[in-house]
Amino acid sequence: MIVTLDFVCIRLHPESRAPEVLLRKRETSPEPGSYGLVGGWIREQSQGPIQPQTQPQTQERTQKRTQKPGEGDCCLDDAVHRILRDKVGLAPSYLEQVRAQGSLYRDIARGWSVTIPHLCLFNRTENDRLALQDHLRWASLWDLLDSRVPLPFDHLTLVSSAYQAFVNKIKYSSLLLYLLPSEVTIGEIVDAYATFGIEVKKQTVINRWIKAGLLEETGTTRAVSSKGPPARLFRLTEPTLSYFESAIGKSLSAAPATIA
């Protein structure tokens, strides 16, 4: 049975702020030349039996492990970091595993296969250079969900599933901040929520993040219009994702629905 990893890599366009998904040109069969999600196979160990660890392998130790070229993956984290390093070249600002998909029909030519999809958020300025590579391009998330941009295999289902997980989570956590620049205005946070169909008031951002100490003022400002005063900039200070007991805003009808 084939076991793969697929990555739904999302960013906001640097100018329009519309959400986009990173696609990679397929080099091998099936469907060579088509653009699909970044992904790859999990490599099995080709060596003999693996000796038991004397200490439990923690997440921190796993991430620091250096994998040699061509070496098999000792764990899922090995495969995740190897594929992102080799096929994207940039680490996401946020990474989360979403619901696995598997069936006999995902890859009819090769039989039963399972994929473990991951939601990846990118907010770094270096993201722009990815579009300069011939084998990578950013595609509109809305066009993908509406099937205006075709995807191979079941990649549309994977995009839809990851997007739904993302939207559900930004209602009750600080996840959306990991898609925004490292220094951001309150208005940009409000606008980003509206992009995904959620109405959030500026006072809510102040109460839930700034007064709670999750966002701190940088001491600098940014001009946001030709008429009004410059807006204060804030940066995220939380060490890990923060969760809220109630939804941060109410749903609108602006963002497209996912596929069934």
Side-chain angles (χ1 to χ4, degrees):
M1 181 175 68
I2 300 170
V3 181
T4 63
L5 299 175
D6 286 293
F7 298 92
V8 182
C9 302
I10 300 177
R11 76 162 185 179
L12 295 179
H13 187 278
E15 296 179 1
S16 69
R17 311 309 294 168
E20 298 179 314
V21 175
L22 185 65
L23 302 181
R24 181 181 174 90
K25 189 175 183 179
R26 293 184 53 81
E27 300 173 355
T28 59
S29 181
E31 302 200 36
S34 65
Y35 280 84
L37 295 177
V38 174
W41 291 32
I42 293 179
R43 292 176 179 168
E44 295 186 47
Q45 290 286 342
S46 58
Q47 297 89 350
I50 299 176
Q51 297 300 318
Q53 297 281 346
T54 56
Q55 298 181 15
Q57 188 82 315
T58 64
Q59 183 179 11
E60 181 180 4
R61 292 175 58 196
T62 300
Q63 291 178 348
K64 290 183 178 180
R65 177 181 177 272
T66 301
Q67 190 176 15
K68 298 177 182 178
E71 184 182 18
D73 301 312
C74 287
C75 63
L76 193 60
D77 283 337
D78 275 356
V80 168
H81 295 298
R82 170 181 58 81
I83 294 171
L84 286 175
R85 180 195 67 222
D86 294 348
K87 296 191 174 183
V88 178
L90 292 176
S93 56
Y94 181 84
L95 174 72
E96 177 184 338
Q97 181 180 323
V98 294
R99 185 166 63 92
Q101 302 281 345
S103 76
L104 177 63
Y105 309 104
R106 289 195 67 248
D107 189 341
I108 296 177
R110 291 177 288 197
W112 241 101
S113 70
V114 171
T115 187
I116 305 172
H118 286 70
L119 169 67
C120 302
L121 304 183
F122 286 84
N123 68 348
R124 295 164 54 181
T125 55
E126 296 95 322
N127 297 341
D128 294 345
R129 79 180 191 208
L130 294 176
L132 300 177
Q133 303 181 44
D134 292 338
H135 59 286
L136 293 174
R137 68 182 178 95
W138 291 98
S140 164
L141 172 61
W142 307 146
D143 287 348
L144 293 175
L145 292 175
D146 290 341
S147 299
R148 290 193 292 266
V149 174
L151 289 172
F153 313 117
D154 61 348
H155 287 191
L156 175 57
T157 298
L158 302 183
V159 171
S160 179
S161 177
Y163 170 65
Q164 189 60 61
F166 169 77
V167 171
N168 289 339
K169 201 159 189 172
I170 64 175
K171 296 176 183 177
Y172 295 92
S173 75
S174 58
L175 179 60
L176 184 64
L177 271 291
Y178 293 81
L179 193 58
L180 300 179
S182 56
E183 295 186 351
V184 65
T185 69
I186 296 176
E188 288 170 338
I189 297 174
V190 172
D191 291 344
Y193 268 105
T195 296
F196 295 103
I198 301 173
E199 182 183 25
V200 174
K201 299 184 182 300
K202 290 184 178 181
Q203 189 60 47
T204 302
V205 175
I206 294 172
N207 292 338
R208 295 215 185 183
W209 279 324
I210 298 175
K211 289 184 177 180
L214 302 180
L215 283 174
E216 67 175 7
E217 194 167 352
T218 65
T220 57
T221 60
R222 178 189 298 152
V224 294
S225 69
S226 58
K227 297 181 179 180
R232 294 179 297 164
L233 291 173
F234 297 84
R235 68 168 66 95
L236 195 62
T237 62
E238 61 179 14
T240 58
L241 206 64
S242 298
Y243 292 88
F244 310 126
E245 293 183 358
S246 59
I248 193 169
K250 63 180 182 180
S251 297
L252 303 170
S253 57
T258 58
I259 63 172

